[in-house]
Amino acid sequence: MAGENEIKNSNCSSSLGQGPPAPTTHLPNSMSGQDTTTEKVTLKKEIGLVSACAIIIGVLEHSGSVGLALIIWVLGGGVSALGSMCYAELGVTIPKSGGDYSYVTEIFGGLTGFLLLWSAVLIMYPTSLAVIALTFSNYVLQPVFPDCIPPYDATRTLSLVCLLLLTWVNSSSVRWATRIQDIFTAGKLLALGLIIVVGFMQIFKGNYEELKPSNAFNFWKTPTVGQLALAFLQGSFAFSGWNFLNYVTEELVDPRRNLPRAIYISIPLVTFVYTFTNIAYFTAMTPEELMSSNAVAVTFGEKLLGYFSWIMPVSVALSTFGGINGYLFTSSRLCFSGAREGHLPSLLAMIHFKYCTPVPALLVCCGATIIIMLVGDTYTLINYVSFINYLCYGVTIMGLIVLRFKKPKMFRPIKVNLLIPITYLCFWAFLLIFSFYSEPVVCGVGLIIILTGVPVFFLTVYWKNKPKCVDRFIEKMTYCGQKVCYVVYPQPDLPEEDLIHCNDTLVSENEKSIKMH
């Protein structure tokens, strides 16, 4: 088959437990149309400073009052700021793509890292993607079905179309994907800015009854400590984007400078926007109206924007479209990093020879999301995701303290005061303990999901001497995947003369391998 010598790599890993080799082939000049000895097949550093992604998840129901809900939003931003400072240190100390997974694997070893990877790939990212995709379709279809909830089939179909479109975009170009993220993030902030401005106008007109202290702390129900913990836990889902940039560190331009800057800018900005957006909502809606609304921003627009109320569903749709793109981008890089460490099939560590994008990893993320969307009860799964997500944050930040003692002389461009991770972990422990007390089933199922990865780890990663038939099957599947996706392993950072020698050697080996087949 034409082009097989460009795809087949004779050093291809034949087992899940083996990591992929570092060197890979260059495409011959006849295929690329240019001298490829000066350009490597590797992930491109095309992500600048602009980055943000999040969705608003209400905490009003568990807090029991308007005032306490607003306090939870502010505290949630403060806790996220503490966590982001810790992640900034880890990101520049261990400059690998993969975020939490890469740090935990480096500090605690393979099993702990695999369990984090397992829960993320199996449930966390697919569920988050499904929720945002369904939110997108609900808001797009809301004007078509103004008096009822959009039909099940219609929302699923539109969600699938959106997901497949963005998977294609991310597979075609890193630059396109990041431009979409930047544009739609700017659009989202402008829409939220409009809500905040209208809210302030309402306040200046004297329409702030629900925000007066006498009403704001008028509890329609008395929340328990466990319910408050759940409110914080659900609020953490809205702030869950603060560690996304750590997943793509290797593609970030000047990560030691841009990673901490992006984190320090985004967390105060997002906290401000979330808090004042909720204040604006309360100038137009009572807590009962807000909790009963199927689309809060739409209800807000209908009440205050008149003929321009269409701006709200369009803005939320654009916002969630960017959110889907961001989750796809980071989750595929997590799969890529896991495969590179030998914790996932080696095919997922390969990138397209021309576009330099992790196509197999993107297809796996897309497929897992489709399964969750069509089979699972998505909005129930979000409770499990919030628990698992927060658990992973704590373990990762605990690793920062462990690393300080294990490798005290390690170069750290950023070094936070130890009181910061300790304060975060105290709050983290409080949330998890009372969440367990209040919702033992949800938290228990979350733990079970994580622990199901233990036997998978020992069967696929720890067990090295697998039967030859298993190795041959995995090698054949990897080879077929390479041909279908047209992918190769990324090339290492080597001097040009070494890359030319590596290219000639591997092409020769590939030709021999083709003749043997």
Side-chain angles (χ1 to χ4, degrees), residues 98-174:
D100 314 59
Y101 162 73
S102 295
Y103 311 147
V104 169
T105 302
E106 178 88 12
I107 298 166
F108 294 113
L111 176 58
T112 309
F114 180 83
L115 292 179
L116 191 151
L117 178 70
W118 172 257
S119 58
V121 173
L122 184 68
I123 190 78
M124 279 168 53
Y125 275 107
T127 300
S128 299
L129 267 168
V131 168
I132 302 173
L134 290 171
T135 303
F136 165 80
S137 59
N138 273 324
Y139 272 90
V140 170
L141 294 172
Q142 191 71 34
V144 182
F145 302 93
D147 300 322
C148 62
I149 297 175
Y152 177 91
D153 291 339
T155 55
R156 260 58 182 182
T157 301
L158 185 57
S159 298
L160 288 176
V161 170
C162 174
L163 184 65
L164 292 172
L165 172 64
L166 285 173
T167 300
W168 174 77
V169 170
N170 277 268
S171 299
S172 301
S173 172
V174 174

Side-chain angles (χ1 to χ4, degrees), residues 71-390:
I71 290 173
I72 288 173
W73 276 112
V74 175
L75 288 179
V79 172
S80 297
L82 295 177
S84 67
M85 291 183 209
C86 300
Y87 271 69
E89 176 178 328
L90 287 169
V92 296
T93 304
I94 308 173
K96 289 183 179 179
S97 290
D100 314 59
Y101 162 73
S102 295
Y103 311 147
V104 169
T105 302
E106 178 88 12
I107 298 166
F108 294 113
L111 176 58
T112 309
F114 180 83
L115 292 179
L116 191 151
L117 178 70
W118 172 257
S119 58
V121 173
L122 184 68
I123 190 78
M124 279 168 53
Y125 275 107
T127 300
S128 299
L129 267 168
V131 168
I132 302 173
L134 290 171
T135 303
F136 165 80
S137 59
N138 273 324
Y139 272 90
V140 170
L141 294 172
Q142 191 71 34
V144 182
F145 302 93
D147 300 322
C148 62
I149 297 175
Y152 177 91
D153 291 339
T155 55
R156 260 58 182 182
T157 301
L158 185 57
S159 298
L160 288 176
V161 170
C162 174
L163 184 65
L164 292 172
L165 172 64
L166 285 173
T167 300
W168 174 77
V169 170
N170 277 268
S171 299
S172 301
S173 172
V174 174
R175 188 179 297 275
W176 288 3
T178 53
R179 291 297 175 269
I180 285 176
Q181 194 63 26
D182 294 345
I183 292 169
F184 282 90
T185 294
K188 174 175 66 176
L189 290 176
L190 287 173
L192 291 172
L194 175 62
I195 292 174
I196 292 170
V197 169
V198 172
F200 275 119
M201 290 173 63
Q202 284 286 97
I203 291 174
F204 291 145
K205 290 178 182 178
N207 299 324
Y208 53 88
E209 284 298 317
E210 297 295 337
L211 298 173
K212 291 180 178 178
S214 57
N215 294 327
F217 293 95
N218 182 19
F219 290 86
W220 59 85
K221 71 172 183 179
T222 303
T224 63
V225 176
Q227 287 173 329
L228 290 178
L230 284 176
F232 274 107
L233 204 59
Q234 290 184 350
S236 72
F237 186 83
F239 287 98
S240 60
W242 55 264
N243 64 329
F244 276 9
L245 208 55
N246 293 69
Y247 281 86
V248 292
T249 304
E250 292 174 47
E251 296 168 81
L252 185 65
V253 178
D254 193 4
R256 287 198 165 96
R257 184 169 65 101
N258 277 340
L259 176 63
R261 283 175 62 194
I263 289 174
Y264 295 154
I265 291 170
S266 62
I267 292 298
L269 176 63
V270 171
T271 303
F272 172 85
V273 169
Y274 279 179
T275 303
F276 282 93
T277 298
N278 277 273
I279 289 174
Y281 285 153
F282 289 124
T283 64
M285 290 179 279
T286 64
E288 292 77 14
E289 287 177 318
L290 193 145
M291 288 188 291
S292 63
S293 174
N294 185 47
V296 176
V298 172
T299 304
F300 179 84
E302 289 172 349
K303 280 179 168 287
L304 297 181
L305 297 182
Y307 290 112
F308 296 99
S309 60
W310 58 268
I311 293 175
M312 285 300 104
V314 170
S315 299
V316 176
L318 294 177
S319 169
T320 50
F321 189 82
I324 297 166
N325 181 71
Y327 265 94
L328 263 178
F329 193 91
T330 53
S331 59
S332 65
R333 269 53 178 184
L334 178 60
C335 289
F336 177 87
S337 298
R340 189 171 58 181
E341 295 291 334
H343 288 168
L344 290 176
S346 56
L347 179 65
L348 302 184
M350 299 183 190
I351 61 176
H352 195 276
F353 83 97
K354 180 179 179 182
Y355 302 130
C356 298
T357 54
V359 174
L362 282 162
L363 293 177
V364 166
C365 295
C366 178
T369 303
I370 291 173
I371 292 172
I372 290 287
M373 194 183 299
L374 297 179
V375 177
D377 184 353
T378 309
Y379 292 101
T380 299
L381 287 172
I382 206 68
N383 290 324
Y384 307 140
V385 170
S386 297
F387 172 79
I388 296 171
N389 212 21
Y390 213 70

